[in-house]
């Protein structure tokens, strides 16, 4: 079992690369952002709460997220791997993920940090906003999301280094090259 955390700032390409990993390895994929957007579309109570935070570029409270994550994870049957995309985003979420996986006799195999320079992130997200229909892909909210990334999410880089799971990936340039760098890390990761 390979549990893979795909990490990076908004616009770093986590979703795109996750799709390619799924296509090649047949792993399950949890995108917490997609789960929340689905809840908003369905108009559930959780969706209503989530909308407030998402539209303001803020993170949804950890306790809610951990709950959603465990439920989604337990909904998967027996699989060779799971990709965590957009989770964890805070240190308490990383700790909760480790504890949840430990309860199930497993752990994170690798954390892939897709690094992309700030000006490129901004340009990609503004461009994405033209077609994504996402309420949070506008310049003002993008700036808030990048601030939240720096203050609350980027400390996870040191956390995963300390846990021995960290792998840097250059997220700028040719998509094939980025994906092949990712595959090298996944292929060499130990199944846990
Ligand atoms: P994403 O699609 O990953 O860019 O997520 C879009 C938005 O959903 C974020 O800006 C947050 O408001 C919310 N969100 C997604 N994942 C998380 C998470 N792990 N913790 C808190 N909020 C999240």
């Amino acid at each position: 079992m390979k549990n893979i955390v795909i990490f990076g700032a908004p616009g770093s390409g986590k979703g795109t690369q996750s799709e390619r990993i799924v296509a090649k390895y047949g792993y399950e994929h949890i995108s917490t952002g997609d789960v929340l957007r689905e809840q908003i579309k369905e108009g559930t109570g959780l969706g209503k709460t989530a909308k407030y935070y998402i539209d303001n570029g803020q993170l949804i409270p950890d306790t809610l997220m951990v709950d959603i994550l465990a439920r989604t994870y337990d909904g998967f049957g027996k699989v060779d791997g799971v990709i965590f995309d957009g989770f964890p985003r805070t240190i308490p979420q990383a700790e909760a993920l480790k504890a949840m996986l430990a309860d199930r006799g497993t752990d994170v195999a690798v954390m892939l940090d897709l690094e992309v320079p700030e000006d490129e992130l901004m340009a990609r997200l503004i461009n994405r906003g033209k077609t994504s229909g996402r309420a949070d892909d506008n310049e003002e909210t993008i700036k808030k999301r990048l601030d939240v990334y720096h203050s609350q999410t980027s400390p996870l880089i040191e956390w995963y280094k300390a846990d021995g799971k960290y792998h840097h990936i250059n997220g700028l340039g040719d998509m094939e090259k980025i994906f092949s760098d990712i595959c090298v890390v996944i292929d060499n990761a130990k199944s846990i």
Side-chain angles (χ1 to χ4, degrees), residues 10-11 14 31-34 36-37 50 53-62 65 85-90 93 125 128 134 136-137 141 145 148:
K14 299 187 294 294
S31 157
T32 45
D34 284 351
L36 295 168
R37 281 184 289 274
Y53 291 100
I54 292 180
D55 288 355
N56 284 295
Q58 302 296 315
L59 298 181
I60 278 77
D62 289 335
M65 291 311 303
D85 161 9
F87 189 102
R89 263 177 154 98
T90 63
Q93 288 183 14
L125 290 166
R128 185 173 82 183
R134 277 179 56 165
D136 58 347
D137 281 344
T141 314
R145 288 160 63 205
V148 165

PDB file of all heavy atoms in Angstrom, residues 10-11 14 31-34 36-37 50 53-62 65 85-90 93 125 128 134 136-137 141 145 148, ligand 1:
ATOM      1  N   PRO A  10      -1.525  26.451  -4.133  1.00  0.00           N
ATOM      2  CA  PRO A  10      -2.587  26.464  -5.140  1.00  0.00           C
ATOM      3  C   PRO A  10      -1.969  26.775  -6.510  1.00  0.00           C
ATOM      4  O   PRO A  10      -1.115  27.663  -6.612  1.00  0.00           O
ATOM      5  CB  PRO A  10      -3.492  27.625  -4.689  1.00  0.00           C
ATOM      6  CG  PRO A  10      -3.203  27.818  -3.235  1.00  0.00           C
ATOM      7  CD  PRO A  10      -1.785  27.397  -3.019  1.00  0.00           C
ATOM      8  N   GLY A  11      -2.364  26.020  -7.524  1.00  0.00           N
ATOM      9  CA  GLY A  11      -1.836  26.272  -8.873  1.00  0.00           C
ATOM     10  C   GLY A  11      -0.549  25.532  -9.184  1.00  0.00           C
ATOM     11  O   GLY A  11       0.014  25.687 -10.265  1.00  0.00           O
ATOM     12  N   LYS A  14      -1.140  20.017  -8.608  1.00  0.00           N
ATOM     13  CA  LYS A  14      -1.455  18.801  -7.841  1.00  0.00           C
ATOM     14  C   LYS A  14      -2.552  17.982  -8.514  1.00  0.00           C
ATOM     15  O   LYS A  14      -2.449  16.770  -8.638  1.00  0.00           O
ATOM     16  CB  LYS A  14      -1.918  19.156  -6.410  1.00  0.00           C
ATOM     17  CG  LYS A  14      -0.901  19.898  -5.576  1.00  0.00           C
ATOM     18  CD  LYS A  14      -1.375  20.058  -4.132  1.00  0.00           C
ATOM     19  CE  LYS A  14      -2.593  20.945  -3.928  1.00  0.00           C
ATOM     20  NZ  LYS A  14      -2.375  22.373  -4.248  1.00  0.00           N
ATOM     21  N   SER A  31      -9.300  14.284  -3.370  1.00  0.00           N
ATOM     22  CA  SER A  31      -9.057  15.723  -3.437  1.00  0.00           C
ATOM     23  C   SER A  31     -10.062  16.351  -2.482  1.00  0.00           C
ATOM     24  O   SER A  31     -11.266  16.340  -2.744  1.00  0.00           O
ATOM     25  CB  SER A  31      -9.278  16.249  -4.862  1.00  0.00           C
ATOM     26  OG  SER A  31      -9.561  17.645  -4.808  1.00  0.00           O
ATOM     27  N   THR A  32      -9.567  16.892  -1.374  1.00  0.00           N
ATOM     28  CA  THR A  32     -10.506  17.443  -0.388  1.00  0.00           C
ATOM     29  C   THR A  32     -11.241  18.657  -0.970  1.00  0.00           C
ATOM     30  O   THR A  32     -12.410  18.875  -0.672  1.00  0.00           O
ATOM     31  CB  THR A  32      -9.793  17.799   0.933  1.00  0.00           C
ATOM     32  OG1 THR A  32      -8.583  18.482   0.641  1.00  0.00           O
ATOM     33  CG2 THR A  32      -9.520  16.569   1.753  1.00  0.00           C
ATOM     34  N   GLY A  33     -10.565  19.413  -1.845  1.00  0.00           N
ATOM     35  CA  GLY A  33     -11.228  20.551  -2.503  1.00  0.00           C
ATOM     36  C   GLY A  33     -12.402  20.063  -3.350  1.00  0.00           C
ATOM     37  O   GLY A  33     -13.498  20.637  -3.311  1.00  0.00           O
ATOM     38  N   ASP A  34     -12.206  18.979  -4.108  1.00  0.00           N
ATOM     39  CA  ASP A  34     -13.296  18.420  -4.934  1.00  0.00           C
ATOM     40  C   ASP A  34     -14.446  17.928  -4.059  1.00  0.00           C
ATOM     41  O   ASP A  34     -15.618  18.134  -4.391  1.00  0.00           O
ATOM     42  CB  ASP A  34     -12.793  17.231  -5.776  1.00  0.00           C
ATOM     43  CG  ASP A  34     -11.971  17.670  -6.984  1.00  0.00           C
ATOM     44  OD1 ASP A  34     -11.935  18.880  -7.266  1.00  0.00           O
ATOM     45  OD2 ASP A  34     -11.365  16.789  -7.628  1.00  0.00           O
ATOM     46  N   LEU A  36     -15.333  19.031  -1.167  1.00  0.00           N
ATOM     47  CA  LEU A  36     -16.057  20.195  -0.641  1.00  0.00           C
ATOM     48  C   LEU A  36     -16.906  20.856  -1.724  1.00  0.00           C
ATOM     49  O   LEU A  36     -18.064  21.217  -1.487  1.00  0.00           O
ATOM     50  CB  LEU A  36     -15.068  21.214  -0.053  1.00  0.00           C
ATOM     51  CG  LEU A  36     -14.293  20.723   1.176  1.00  0.00           C
ATOM     52  CD1 LEU A  36     -13.149  21.686   1.503  1.00  0.00           C
ATOM     53  CD2 LEU A  36     -15.210  20.566   2.385  1.00  0.00           C
ATOM     54  N   ARG A  37     -16.345  20.981  -2.928  1.00  0.00           N
ATOM     55  CA  ARG A  37     -17.111  21.601  -4.023  1.00  0.00           C
ATOM     56  C   ARG A  37     -18.350  20.765  -4.363  1.00  0.00           C
ATOM     57  O   ARG A  37     -19.411  21.293  -4.683  1.00  0.00           O
ATOM     58  CB  ARG A  37     -16.221  21.812  -5.257  1.00  0.00           C
ATOM     59  CG  ARG A  37     -15.315  23.050  -5.118  1.00  0.00           C
ATOM     60  CD  ARG A  37     -14.514  23.329  -6.369  1.00  0.00           C
ATOM     61  NE  ARG A  37     -13.471  22.344  -6.586  1.00  0.00           N
ATOM     62  CZ  ARG A  37     -12.254  22.400  -6.054  1.00  0.00           C
ATOM     63  NH1 ARG A  37     -11.923  23.401  -5.263  1.00  0.00           N
ATOM     64  NH2 ARG A  37     -11.359  21.470  -6.300  1.00  0.00           N
ATOM     65  N   ALA A  50     -18.679  25.051   4.182  1.00  0.00           N
ATOM     66  CA  ALA A  50     -17.454  25.090   3.369  1.00  0.00           C
ATOM     67  C   ALA A  50     -17.431  26.316   2.457  1.00  0.00           C
ATOM     68  O   ALA A  50     -16.390  26.948   2.277  1.00  0.00           O
ATOM     69  CB  ALA A  50     -17.346  23.815   2.545  1.00  0.00           C
ATOM     70  N   TYR A  53     -15.931  29.531   3.896  1.00  0.00           N
ATOM     71  CA  TYR A  53     -14.462  29.548   4.004  1.00  0.00           C
ATOM     72  C   TYR A  53     -13.804  29.620   2.618  1.00  0.00           C
ATOM     73  O   TYR A  53     -12.867  30.391   2.401  1.00  0.00           O
ATOM     74  CB  TYR A  53     -13.969  28.293   4.734  1.00  0.00           C
ATOM     75  CG  TYR A  53     -14.329  28.270   6.198  1.00  0.00           C
ATOM     76  CD1 TYR A  53     -15.418  27.525   6.655  1.00  0.00           C
ATOM     77  CD2 TYR A  53     -13.583  28.993   7.125  1.00  0.00           C
ATOM     78  CE1 TYR A  53     -15.753  27.502   8.004  1.00  0.00           C
ATOM     79  CE2 TYR A  53     -13.902  28.980   8.477  1.00  0.00           C
ATOM     80  CZ  TYR A  53     -14.997  28.233   8.906  1.00  0.00           C
ATOM     81  OH  TYR A  53     -15.317  28.220  10.242  1.00  0.00           O
ATOM     82  N   ILE A  54     -14.299  28.794   1.693  1.00  0.00           N
ATOM     83  CA  ILE A  54     -13.670  28.732   0.358  1.00  0.00           C
ATOM     84  C   ILE A  54     -13.753  30.087  -0.336  1.00  0.00           C
ATOM     85  O   ILE A  54     -12.774  30.571  -0.890  1.00  0.00           O
ATOM     86  CB  ILE A  54     -14.324  27.616  -0.495  1.00  0.00           C
ATOM     87  CG1 ILE A  54     -13.974  26.247   0.088  1.00  0.00           C
ATOM     88  CG2 ILE A  54     -13.877  27.714  -1.959  1.00  0.00           C
ATOM     89  CD1 ILE A  54     -14.555  25.058  -0.666  1.00  0.00           C
ATOM     90  N   ASP A  55     -14.927  30.711  -0.270  1.00  0.00           N
ATOM     91  CA  ASP A  55     -15.091  32.006  -0.949  1.00  0.00           C
ATOM     92  C   ASP A  55     -14.202  33.087  -0.339  1.00  0.00           C
ATOM     93  O   ASP A  55     -13.906  34.086  -0.987  1.00  0.00           O
ATOM     94  CB  ASP A  55     -16.563  32.464  -0.906  1.00  0.00           C
ATOM     95  CG  ASP A  55     -17.435  31.621  -1.836  1.00  0.00           C
ATOM     96  OD1 ASP A  55     -16.869  30.762  -2.559  1.00  0.00           O
ATOM     97  OD2 ASP A  55     -18.669  31.803  -1.838  1.00  0.00           O
ATOM     98  N   ASN A  56     -13.803  32.875   0.910  1.00  0.00           N
ATOM     99  CA  ASN A  56     -12.921  33.849   1.552  1.00  0.00           C
ATOM    100  C   ASN A  56     -11.454  33.445   1.482  1.00  0.00           C
ATOM    101  O   ASN A  56     -10.603  34.084   2.104  1.00  0.00           O
ATOM    102  CB  ASN A  56     -13.333  34.036   3.013  1.00  0.00           C
ATOM    103  CG  ASN A  56     -14.582  34.886   3.108  1.00  0.00           C
ATOM    104  OD1 ASN A  56     -14.561  36.064   2.745  1.00  0.00           O
ATOM    105  ND2 ASN A  56     -15.677  34.281   3.523  1.00  0.00           N
ATOM    106  N   GLY A  57     -11.159  32.370   0.775  1.00  0.00           N
ATOM    107  CA  GLY A  57      -9.774  31.917   0.634  1.00  0.00           C
ATOM    108  C   GLY A  57      -9.203  31.322   1.906  1.00  0.00           C
ATOM    109  O   GLY A  57      -7.991  31.181   2.044  1.00  0.00           O
ATOM    110  N   GLN A  58     -10.092  30.983   2.854  1.00  0.00           N
ATOM    111  CA  GLN A  58      -9.645  30.447   4.150  1.00  0.00           C
ATOM    112  C   GLN A  58      -9.728  28.926   4.169  1.00  0.00           C
ATOM    113  O   GLN A  58     -10.429  28.333   3.348  1.00  0.00           O
ATOM    114  CB  GLN A  58     -10.536  30.980   5.278  1.00  0.00           C
ATOM    115  CG  GLN A  58     -10.593  32.477   5.401  1.00  0.00           C
ATOM    116  CD  GLN A  58      -9.248  33.070   5.769  1.00  0.00           C
ATOM    117  OE1 GLN A  58      -8.577  32.557   6.655  1.00  0.00           O
ATOM    118  NE2 GLN A  58      -8.856  34.110   5.066  1.00  0.00           N
ATOM    119  N   LEU A  59      -9.088  28.313   5.153  1.00  0.00           N
ATOM    120  CA  LEU A  59      -9.171  26.860   5.308  1.00  0.00           C
ATOM    121  C   LEU A  59     -10.382  26.485   6.139  1.00  0.00           C
ATOM    122  O   LEU A  59     -10.746  27.189   7.084  1.00  0.00           O
ATOM    123  CB  LEU A  59      -7.911  26.320   5.996  1.00  0.00           C
ATOM    124  CG  LEU A  59      -6.593  26.525   5.261  1.00  0.00           C
ATOM    125  CD1 LEU A  59      -5.452  25.904   6.063  1.00  0.00           C
ATOM    126  CD2 LEU A  59      -6.640  25.932   3.866  1.00  0.00           C
ATOM    127  N   ILE A  60     -10.976  25.355   5.805  1.00  0.00           N
ATOM    128  CA  ILE A  60     -12.070  24.785   6.593  1.00  0.00           C
ATOM    129  C   ILE A  60     -11.454  24.238   7.892  1.00  0.00           C
ATOM    130  O   ILE A  60     -10.334  23.718   7.872  1.00  0.00           O
ATOM    131  CB  ILE A  60     -12.776  23.668   5.773  1.00  0.00           C
ATOM    132  CG1 ILE A  60     -13.790  24.272   4.802  1.00  0.00           C
ATOM    133  CG2 ILE A  60     -13.489  22.654   6.640  1.00  0.00           C
ATOM    134  CD1 ILE A  60     -13.203  24.888   3.597  1.00  0.00           C
ATOM    135  N   PRO A  61     -12.163  24.339   9.041  1.00  0.00           N
ATOM    136  CA  PRO A  61     -11.565  23.886  10.311  1.00  0.00           C
ATOM    137  C   PRO A  61     -11.089  22.423  10.253  1.00  0.00           C
ATOM    138  O   PRO A  61     -11.721  21.579   9.631  1.00  0.00           O
ATOM    139  CB  PRO A  61     -12.717  24.036  11.312  1.00  0.00           C
ATOM    140  CG  PRO A  61     -13.590  25.102  10.721  1.00  0.00           C
ATOM    141  CD  PRO A  61     -13.474  24.964   9.238  1.00  0.00           C
ATOM    142  N   ASP A  62      -9.955  22.178  10.931  1.00  0.00           N
ATOM    143  CA  ASP A  62      -9.302  20.868  10.878  1.00  0.00           C
ATOM    144  C   ASP A  62     -10.228  19.713  11.250  1.00  0.00           C
ATOM    145  O   ASP A  62     -10.206  18.669  10.600  1.00  0.00           O
ATOM    146  CB  ASP A  62      -8.097  20.856  11.822  1.00  0.00           C
ATOM    147  CG  ASP A  62      -6.953  21.722  11.286  1.00  0.00           C
ATOM    148  OD1 ASP A  62      -6.881  21.916  10.058  1.00  0.00           O
ATOM    149  OD2 ASP A  62      -6.149  22.190  12.106  1.00  0.00           O
ATOM    150  N   MET A  65     -12.391  18.627   8.464  1.00  0.00           N
ATOM    151  CA  MET A  65     -11.633  18.034   7.357  1.00  0.00           C
ATOM    152  C   MET A  65     -11.191  16.617   7.675  1.00  0.00           C
ATOM    153  O   MET A  65     -11.220  15.741   6.816  1.00  0.00           O
ATOM    154  CB  MET A  65     -10.386  18.891   7.052  1.00  0.00           C
ATOM    155  CG  MET A  65     -10.668  20.228   6.469  1.00  0.00           C
ATOM    156  SD  MET A  65     -11.806  20.225   5.077  1.00  0.00           S
ATOM    157  CE  MET A  65     -11.012  19.136   3.937  1.00  0.00           C
ATOM    158  N   ASP A  85      -4.611  14.688  -2.148  1.00  0.00           N
ATOM    159  CA  ASP A  85      -4.385  15.917  -2.922  1.00  0.00           C
ATOM    160  C   ASP A  85      -5.119  17.058  -2.215  1.00  0.00           C
ATOM    161  O   ASP A  85      -6.340  17.054  -2.131  1.00  0.00           O
ATOM    162  CB  ASP A  85      -4.915  15.621  -4.348  1.00  0.00           C
ATOM    163  CG  ASP A  85      -5.208  16.848  -5.189  1.00  0.00           C
ATOM    164  OD1 ASP A  85      -4.862  17.959  -4.793  1.00  0.00           O
ATOM    165  OD2 ASP A  85      -5.811  16.656  -6.266  1.00  0.00           O
ATOM    166  N   GLY A  86      -4.328  17.990  -1.669  1.00  0.00           N
ATOM    167  CA  GLY A  86      -4.947  19.115  -0.947  1.00  0.00           C
ATOM    168  C   GLY A  86      -5.169  18.802   0.525  1.00  0.00           C
ATOM    169  O   GLY A  86      -5.796  19.577   1.242  1.00  0.00           O
ATOM    170  N   PHE A  87      -4.653  17.705   0.981  1.00  0.00           N
ATOM    171  CA  PHE A  87      -4.703  17.317   2.395  1.00  0.00           C
ATOM    172  C   PHE A  87      -3.415  16.559   2.695  1.00  0.00           C
ATOM    173  O   PHE A  87      -3.073  15.655   1.932  1.00  0.00           O
ATOM    174  CB  PHE A  87      -5.900  16.401   2.666  1.00  0.00           C
ATOM    175  CG  PHE A  87      -6.127  16.146   4.143  1.00  0.00           C
ATOM    176  CD1 PHE A  87      -7.122  16.814   4.841  1.00  0.00           C
ATOM    177  CD2 PHE A  87      -5.316  15.265   4.845  1.00  0.00           C
ATOM    178  CE1 PHE A  87      -7.315  16.601   6.201  1.00  0.00           C
ATOM    179  CE2 PHE A  87      -5.495  15.050   6.204  1.00  0.00           C
ATOM    180  CZ  PHE A  87      -6.502  15.716   6.879  1.00  0.00           C
ATOM    181  N   PRO A  88      -2.718  16.834   3.767  1.00  0.00           N
ATOM    182  CA  PRO A  88      -2.997  17.848   4.779  1.00  0.00           C
ATOM    183  C   PRO A  88      -2.592  19.256   4.337  1.00  0.00           C
ATOM    184  O   PRO A  88      -1.732  19.431   3.490  1.00  0.00           O
ATOM    185  CB  PRO A  88      -2.127  17.386   5.952  1.00  0.00           C
ATOM    186  CG  PRO A  88      -0.960  16.700   5.317  1.00  0.00           C
ATOM    187  CD  PRO A  88      -1.499  16.042   4.089  1.00  0.00           C
ATOM    188  N   ARG A  89      -3.207  20.238   4.992  1.00  0.00           N
ATOM    189  CA  ARG A  89      -2.871  21.636   4.732  1.00  0.00           C
ATOM    190  C   ARG A  89      -2.422  22.352   5.998  1.00  0.00           C
ATOM    191  O   ARG A  89      -2.086  23.533   5.945  1.00  0.00           O
ATOM    192  CB  ARG A  89      -4.102  22.361   4.187  1.00  0.00           C
ATOM    193  CG  ARG A  89      -4.136  22.459   2.660  1.00  0.00           C
ATOM    194  CD  ARG A  89      -5.436  23.127   2.316  1.00  0.00           C
ATOM    195  NE  ARG A  89      -5.437  23.832   1.066  1.00  0.00           N
ATOM    196  CZ  ARG A  89      -5.919  23.324  -0.069  1.00  0.00           C
ATOM    197  NH1 ARG A  89      -6.353  22.085  -0.114  1.00  0.00           N
ATOM    198  NH2 ARG A  89      -5.956  24.072  -1.156  1.00  0.00           N
ATOM    199  N   THR A  90      -2.442  21.662   7.121  1.00  0.00           N
ATOM    200  CA  THR A  90      -1.959  22.237   8.383  1.00  0.00           C
ATOM    201  C   THR A  90      -1.226  21.124   9.140  1.00  0.00           C
ATOM    202  O   THR A  90      -1.423  19.932   8.834  1.00  0.00           O
ATOM    203  CB  THR A  90      -3.133  22.704   9.289  1.00  0.00           C
ATOM    204  OG1 THR A  90      -3.920  21.545   9.638  1.00  0.00           O
ATOM    205  CG2 THR A  90      -4.025  23.737   8.623  1.00  0.00           C
ATOM    206  N   GLN A  93      -3.552  18.623  10.719  1.00  0.00           N
ATOM    207  CA  GLN A  93      -4.082  17.667   9.726  1.00  0.00           C
ATOM    208  C   GLN A  93      -3.043  16.584   9.415  1.00  0.00           C
ATOM    209  O   GLN A  93      -3.399  15.413   9.238  1.00  0.00           O
ATOM    210  CB  GLN A  93      -4.476  18.380   8.428  1.00  0.00           C
ATOM    211  CG  GLN A  93      -5.739  19.223   8.558  1.00  0.00           C
ATOM    212  CD  GLN A  93      -6.155  19.866   7.233  1.00  0.00           C
ATOM    213  OE1 GLN A  93      -5.685  19.504   6.161  1.00  0.00           O
ATOM    214  NE2 GLN A  93      -7.052  20.834   7.319  1.00  0.00           N
ATOM    215  N   LEU A 125      -3.277  30.600 -11.959  1.00  0.00           N
ATOM    216  CA  LEU A 125      -4.597  30.621 -11.314  1.00  0.00           C
ATOM    217  C   LEU A 125      -5.522  31.649 -11.957  1.00  0.00           C
ATOM    218  O   LEU A 125      -6.718  31.396 -12.122  1.00  0.00           O
ATOM    219  CB  LEU A 125      -4.452  30.870  -9.812  1.00  0.00           C
ATOM    220  CG  LEU A 125      -3.836  29.687  -9.045  1.00  0.00           C
ATOM    221  CD1 LEU A 125      -3.412  30.117  -7.648  1.00  0.00           C
ATOM    222  CD2 LEU A 125      -4.815  28.527  -8.960  1.00  0.00           C
ATOM    223  N   ARG A 128      -6.604  30.033 -15.073  1.00  0.00           N
ATOM    224  CA  ARG A 128      -7.563  28.963 -14.789  1.00  0.00           C
ATOM    225  C   ARG A 128      -8.943  29.547 -14.503  1.00  0.00           C
ATOM    226  O   ARG A 128      -9.963  28.982 -14.891  1.00  0.00           O
ATOM    227  CB  ARG A 128      -7.070  28.122 -13.600  1.00  0.00           C
ATOM    228  CG  ARG A 128      -7.940  26.908 -13.315  1.00  0.00           C
ATOM    229  CD  ARG A 128      -7.341  26.009 -12.251  1.00  0.00           C
ATOM    230  NE  ARG A 128      -7.631  26.489 -10.908  1.00  0.00           N
ATOM    231  CZ  ARG A 128      -7.171  25.908  -9.791  1.00  0.00           C
ATOM    232  NH1 ARG A 128      -6.388  24.854  -9.871  1.00  0.00           N
ATOM    233  NH2 ARG A 128      -7.487  26.380  -8.607  1.00  0.00           N
ATOM    234  N   ARG A 134     -14.586  28.479 -10.897  1.00  0.00           N
ATOM    235  CA  ARG A 134     -14.398  28.439  -9.443  1.00  0.00           C
ATOM    236  C   ARG A 134     -14.445  29.839  -8.857  1.00  0.00           C
ATOM    237  O   ARG A 134     -13.721  30.732  -9.278  1.00  0.00           O
ATOM    238  CB  ARG A 134     -13.051  27.773  -9.111  1.00  0.00           C
ATOM    239  CG  ARG A 134     -13.141  26.274  -9.100  1.00  0.00           C
ATOM    240  CD  ARG A 134     -11.812  25.619  -8.787  1.00  0.00           C
ATOM    241  NE  ARG A 134     -11.216  26.062  -7.536  1.00  0.00           N
ATOM    242  CZ  ARG A 134     -10.225  25.416  -6.936  1.00  0.00           C
ATOM    243  NH1 ARG A 134      -9.745  24.287  -7.469  1.00  0.00           N
ATOM    244  NH2 ARG A 134      -9.706  25.859  -5.819  1.00  0.00           N
ATOM    245  N   ASP A 136     -13.289  30.901  -6.251  1.00  0.00           N
ATOM    246  CA  ASP A 136     -12.064  31.327  -5.554  1.00  0.00           C
ATOM    247  C   ASP A 136     -10.889  31.566  -6.502  1.00  0.00           C
ATOM    248  O   ASP A 136      -9.805  31.904  -6.066  1.00  0.00           O
ATOM    249  CB  ASP A 136     -11.677  30.330  -4.450  1.00  0.00           C
ATOM    250  CG  ASP A 136     -11.448  28.909  -4.957  1.00  0.00           C
ATOM    251  OD1 ASP A 136     -11.814  28.611  -6.119  1.00  0.00           O
ATOM    252  OD2 ASP A 136     -10.907  28.097  -4.190  1.00  0.00           O
ATOM    253  N   ASP A 137     -11.105  31.420  -7.830  1.00  0.00           N
ATOM    254  CA  ASP A 137     -10.029  31.703  -8.785  1.00  0.00           C
ATOM    255  C   ASP A 137     -10.116  33.149  -9.290  1.00  0.00           C
ATOM    256  O   ASP A 137     -10.165  33.407 -10.490  1.00  0.00           O
ATOM    257  CB  ASP A 137     -10.088  30.735  -9.989  1.00  0.00           C
ATOM    258  CG  ASP A 137      -9.489  29.361  -9.682  1.00  0.00           C
ATOM    259  OD1 ASP A 137      -8.763  29.239  -8.666  1.00  0.00           O
ATOM    260  OD2 ASP A 137      -9.729  28.423 -10.464  1.00  0.00           O
ATOM    261  N   THR A 141      -8.991  36.628  -4.098  1.00  0.00           N
ATOM    262  CA  THR A 141      -9.038  35.383  -3.311  1.00  0.00           C
ATOM    263  C   THR A 141      -7.768  34.557  -3.529  1.00  0.00           C
ATOM    264  O   THR A 141      -7.282  33.912  -2.596  1.00  0.00           O
ATOM    265  CB  THR A 141     -10.301  34.570  -3.665  1.00  0.00           C
ATOM    266  OG1 THR A 141     -11.412  35.458  -3.684  1.00  0.00           O
ATOM    267  CG2 THR A 141     -10.565  33.473  -2.652  1.00  0.00           C
ATOM    268  N   ARG A 145      -5.388  32.963  -0.695  1.00  0.00           N
ATOM    269  CA  ARG A 145      -5.053  31.531  -0.653  1.00  0.00           C
ATOM    270  C   ARG A 145      -3.538  31.327  -0.609  1.00  0.00           C
ATOM    271  O   ARG A 145      -3.048  30.441   0.076  1.00  0.00           O
ATOM    272  CB  ARG A 145      -5.667  30.809  -1.860  1.00  0.00           C
ATOM    273  CG  ARG A 145      -7.192  30.678  -1.732  1.00  0.00           C
ATOM    274  CD  ARG A 145      -7.857  30.434  -3.060  1.00  0.00           C
ATOM    275  NE  ARG A 145      -7.455  29.197  -3.690  1.00  0.00           N
ATOM    276  CZ  ARG A 145      -7.508  28.983  -5.010  1.00  0.00           C
ATOM    277  NH1 ARG A 145      -7.936  29.916  -5.832  1.00  0.00           N
ATOM    278  NH2 ARG A 145      -7.143  27.824  -5.491  1.00  0.00           N
ATOM    279  N   VAL A 148      -2.405  32.119   2.886  1.00  0.00           N
ATOM    280  CA  VAL A 148      -2.746  30.996   3.775  1.00  0.00           C
ATOM    281  C   VAL A 148      -1.765  29.842   3.545  1.00  0.00           C
ATOM    282  O   VAL A 148      -1.299  29.203   4.491  1.00  0.00           O
ATOM    283  CB  VAL A 148      -4.206  30.534   3.538  1.00  0.00           C
ATOM    284  CG1 VAL A 148      -4.478  29.184   4.161  1.00  0.00           C
ATOM    285  CG2 VAL A 148      -5.186  31.565   4.087  1.00  0.00           C
TER     286      VAL A 148
HETATM  287  P1  LIG B   1      -8.276  23.122  -3.543  1.00  0.00           P
HETATM  288  O1  LIG B   1      -9.238  22.612  -4.563  1.00  0.00           O
HETATM  289  O2  LIG B   1      -7.387  22.041  -2.991  1.00  0.00           O
HETATM  290  O3  LIG B   1      -7.485  24.303  -4.042  1.00  0.00           O
HETATM  291  O4  LIG B   1      -9.140  23.648  -2.314  1.00  0.00           O
HETATM  292  C1  LIG B   1     -10.047  24.725  -2.453  1.00  0.00           C
HETATM  293  C2  LIG B   1     -10.449  25.252  -1.085  1.00  0.00           C
HETATM  294  O5  LIG B   1     -11.072  24.209  -0.328  1.00  0.00           O
HETATM  295  C3  LIG B   1      -9.299  25.744  -0.205  1.00  0.00           C
HETATM  296  O6  LIG B   1      -8.930  27.074  -0.513  1.00  0.00           O
HETATM  297  C4  LIG B   1      -9.905  25.590   1.181  1.00  0.00           C
HETATM  298  O7  LIG B   1     -10.824  26.633   1.446  1.00  0.00           O
HETATM  299  C5  LIG B   1     -10.706  24.314   1.052  1.00  0.00           C
HETATM  300  N1  LIG B   1      -9.903  23.114   1.416  1.00  0.00           N
HETATM  301  C6  LIG B   1      -9.514  22.105   0.590  1.00  0.00           C
HETATM  302  N2  LIG B   1      -8.788  21.191   1.242  1.00  0.00           N
HETATM  303  C7  LIG B   1      -8.686  21.641   2.523  1.00  0.00           C
HETATM  304  C8  LIG B   1      -8.043  21.161   3.695  1.00  0.00           C
HETATM  305  N3  LIG B   1      -7.307  20.028   3.685  1.00  0.00           N
HETATM  306  N4  LIG B   1      -8.174  21.873   4.829  1.00  0.00           N
HETATM  307  C9  LIG B   1      -8.898  23.010   4.878  1.00  0.00           C
HETATM  308  N5  LIG B   1      -9.515  23.528   3.816  1.00  0.00           N
HETATM  309  C10 LIG B   1      -9.419  22.867   2.636  1.00  0.00           C
END
